[in-house]
Amino acid sequence: MILKQETLSNNQPELELKFRLPETDKPRLVVIGGGFAGLNLIRKLKDADLQIVLIDRNNYHTFIPLLYQVSTAGLDPDSIASPFRKVLAGQKNVFFRVAEVEEIRPEEKSVVTHVGALSYDYLVIATGSRTNFFGLDDVSRYAMPLKSVPQALNLRSLILQNFEKALMETDPDEFERLSHIIVVGAGPTGVELCGALGELKNFVLPKDYPELNFEKLYIHLVEMKDRVLPTMSPEASKYAHIYLENLTVDVRVNRTIKSYDGNVVVFKNGEEIHTNTVVWAAGVKGALLKGIPEDLIEFGRCKVDSFNRLPGFEDLFVIGDLSNFRTEDYPNGLPMVATVAIQQGSHLAHNLKRLLAGGEMIPYEYTNKGYMATIGRKKAVADLPNLKVHGFFAWILWLVVHIYYLIGFRNKISVFIDWTYNYMRYEMGNRLIIRPFPDPKRKFFKERAAGQEND
């Protein structure tokens, strides 16, 4: 037995016994979600007089900004994923449980999971976001999302399988479908993904597949607005556009997807592209939980006050992508980016410490540290608070920032070594089809059509 039964409280409800938590007189803080917000909160509470319970459906934290590099064979998945138990090993007040949260019950101060219910004194919801297909059901059935490690591995397998099939394909129509990759959404994820795909096409894959003519491989970046990186400065958009075109990426702005049936993408202007690979990077929405009052949800996110607290609940907080914190500069809510989540997690940790000490909480204020995106080797753009840069310096800055925010020393070293090797050799060494992606007519797509997540 891992935990002795006598350490369990006899007063706990029967279902709660399944969590096997030690008896304590300390207030219990339950954190749902171990993303940037939740994990940063917990790490800042290392010495707090709390029993902290982290609940997540995975046993690892994912560094989402680098998922695209896993999908394009630049990094191994374990370079951007860190086991919670390793990250939190030094915190004796933290207990991690793998569980799927089914519902929260704020009136009862409990969280319902697939293994049982758990009571709390304080609850923090940090479930992050999920892919938003904007009601396009057919697109959601066949397009590839990129929000988790399994999804990144699915995309990597599909891309490499397409090349293997193309070598033996004699049907011109099928060859065309295998030769077009469409990325929808020209935000940082879409731009960085297309930059990585462009480098694969021009410098890496021709050595693996000398029989294929890679001039007939087409990478399309589709954006409904009038420029790439629409949330960044016009200067950043201009340089990113130029860098992508230099990598032979076909950039199509002012385009909106009408439908996709797994074979043909149809645009609202009547254009069509035959492909079996559509990557959806066009938007996200909050990962809402059952039990959050409907009147506290707007634009798919939770309203919060200046303390990141759900209005009407003194002990319930929402941080990260799910929180819709409005300011004068951001009337529709803060951007759904990692820097916001990290700041909110850190700030809430300080406020909880103040509460435990009998003090008053301090209102949260967002500090904009800028935005950046890389478009391949020695090419990046950065909009900093007092400076806009592009090219090599912006690329070095992007590398440093991303290594700094990676969780764990091993991951920092692993990513640094991989990036150094790739830079010196123009090589991406993780081109393995470890888990073959299923045919579109198989179970994967039937489950997605039924509304099941593939995470």
Side-chain angles (χ1 to χ4, degrees):
M1 304 223 4
I2 298 175
L3 184 65
K4 292 182 180 180
Q5 186 68 30
E6 56 263 32
T7 63
L8 297 170
S9 170
N10 294 326
N11 298 321
Q12 287 177 297
E14 182 179 350
L15 287 175
E16 193 166 307
L17 290 175
K18 293 185 178 181
F19 281 90
R20 299 180 61 77
L21 297 171
E23 183 179 355
T24 181
D25 294 328
K26 296 179 181 180
R28 177 183 292 164
L29 167 65
V30 175
V31 180
I32 306 174
F36 288 109
L39 192 58
N40 198 52
L41 164 73
I42 293 172
R43 296 174 81 185
K44 296 289 184 180
L45 292 172
K46 182 175 182 178
D47 301 318
D49 194 28
L50 288 165
Q51 183 188 72
I52 303 173
V53 183
L54 170 62
I55 300 175
D56 199 292
R57 61 182 172 181
N58 298 312
N59 77 331
Y60 56 87
H61 165 82
T62 303
F63 193 80
I64 291 179
L66 293 181
L67 274 176
Y68 81 94
Q69 293 213 2
V70 174
S71 68
T72 53
L75 293 173
D76 279 323
D78 59 354
S79 296
I80 66 164
S82 306
F84 289 125
R85 297 192 183 280
K86 181 178 180 181
V87 175
L88 302 172
Q91 291 192 232
K92 303 303 181 183
N93 63 340
V94 177
F95 302 86
F96 170 63
R97 298 294 183 263
V98 175
E100 188 83 32
V101 175
E102 297 176 346
E103 180 183 5
I104 64 166
R105 295 176 180 171
E107 296 78 11
E108 301 175 9
K109 299 187 68 169
S110 68
V111 175
V112 180
T113 77
H114 79 288
V115 298
L118 184 66
S119 62
Y120 63 81
D121 294 289
Y122 300 100
L123 174 64
V124 176
I125 305 176
T127 48
S129 59
R130 61 184 58 182
T131 306
N132 187 358
F133 290 99
F134 303 101
L136 296 172
D137 293 337
D138 57 342
V139 176
S140 70
R141 181 178 182 184
Y142 293 107
M144 303 289 293
L146 191 57
K147 287 290 292 176
S148 68
V149 170
Q151 290 171 352
L153 291 174
N154 283 340
L155 179 56
R156 184 178 78 179
S157 293
L158 177 61
I159 291 171
L160 295 175
Q161 286 169 214
N162 281 350
F163 296 136
E164 298 294 344
K165 292 177 182 178
L167 279 173
M168 299 178 287
E169 187 55 61
T170 57
D171 183 346
D173 293 335
E174 181 62 20
F175 185 85
E176 180 180 3
R177 290 178 62 248
L178 296 169
S179 302
H180 289 263
I181 300 173
I182 299 179
V183 178
V184 183
T189 298
V191 166
E192 291 175 346
L193 177 60
C194 283
L197 289 171
E199 291 202 326
L200 271 176
K201 168 190 173 180
N202 291 292
F203 306 112
V204 179
L205 293 176
K207 293 181 288 186
D208 285 359
Y209 303 92
E211 304 105 308
L212 287 177
N213 179 6
F214 278 89
E215 291 183 0
K216 293 185 177 180
L217 171 63
Y218 302 96
I219 302 165
H220 310 277
L221 178 60
V222 177
E223 170 59 45
M224 68 179 296
K225 296 183 179 179
D226 61 358
R227 60 187 177 96
V228 302
L229 298 176
T231 59
M232 294 183 69
S233 66
E235 294 88 349
S237 296
K238 172 185 143 185
Y239 285 109
H241 197 135
I242 292 171
Y243 294 153
L244 288 168
E245 289 189 335
N246 288 341
L247 289 170
T248 66
V249 175
D250 171 35
V251 180
R252 302 190 182 196
V253 295
N254 296 311
R255 298 290 199 284
T256 304
I257 298 267
K258 179 181 178 181
S259 65
Y260 176 53
D261 62 359
N263 295 293
V264 182
V265 169
V266 180
F267 297 91
K268 286 190 175 179
N269 64 0
E271 294 177 349
E272 294 184 357
I273 298 178
H274 292 250
T275 181
N276 75 342
T277 308
V278 173
V279 186
W280 193 264
V284 293
K285 59 184 178 181
L288 292 165
L289 295 175
K290 182 181 178 182
I292 298 174
E294 291 290 334
D295 61 327
L296 298 181
I297 299 173
E298 58 181 359
F299 308 116
R301 302 163 74 186
C302 295
K303 297 179 184 178
V304 294
D305 62 18
S306 59
F307 307 110
N308 289 304
R309 183 174 52 192
L310 202 65
F313 299 93
E314 294 295 316
D315 48 23
L316 203 167
F317 302 85
V318 182
I319 56 177
D321 286 354
L322 186 58
S323 76
N324 193 25
F325 179 68
R326 296 187 177 200
T327 68
E328 185 176 336
D329 293 331
Y330 299 92
N332 295 323
L334 295 179
M336 299 166 76
V337 295
T339 52
V340 173
I342 292 170
Q343 288 181 30
Q344 288 181 331
S346 179
H347 185 268
L348 180 55
H350 289 300
N351 269 343
L352 288 174
K353 289 179 181 179
R354 294 176 67 89
L355 279 179
L356 293 172
E360 297 290 329
M361 292 192 295
I362 300 173
Y364 167 68
E365 294 182 6
Y366 171 56
T367 302
N368 183 358
K369 295 186 177 181
Y371 304 95
M372 57 181 63
T374 182
I375 310 97
R377 181 186 176 98
K378 297 191 293 186
K379 298 179 181 67
V381 292
D383 286 346
L384 307 179
N386 299 308
L387 180 68
K388 292 180 175 60
V389 292
H390 66 91
F392 182 76
F393 178 74
W395 181 67
I396 292 294
L397 184 63
W398 183 93
L399 295 177
V400 171
V401 167
H402 282 69
I403 288 179
Y404 175 80
Y405 280 110
L406 271 168
I407 303 295
F409 180 75
R410 175 195 171 279
N411 285 4
K412 295 177 190 289
I413 294 299
S414 175
V415 169
F416 176 76
I417 291 174
D418 277 349
W419 281 350
T420 302
Y421 179 79
N422 293 345
Y423 177 81
M424 296 179 65
R425 297 288 304 273
Y426 251 129
E427 177 68 42
M428 295 180 181
N430 304 299
R431 301 185 299 281
L432 304 175
I433 306 174
I434 296 175
R435 35 178 285 173
F437 188 72
D439 184 89
K441 297 181 178 61
R442 294 181 184 172
K443 182 180 178 183
F444 172 86
F445 290 96
K446 292 179 181 178
E447 288 180 349
R448 183 183 294 177
Q452 300 178 32
E453 291 283 344
N454 184 63
D455 294 329

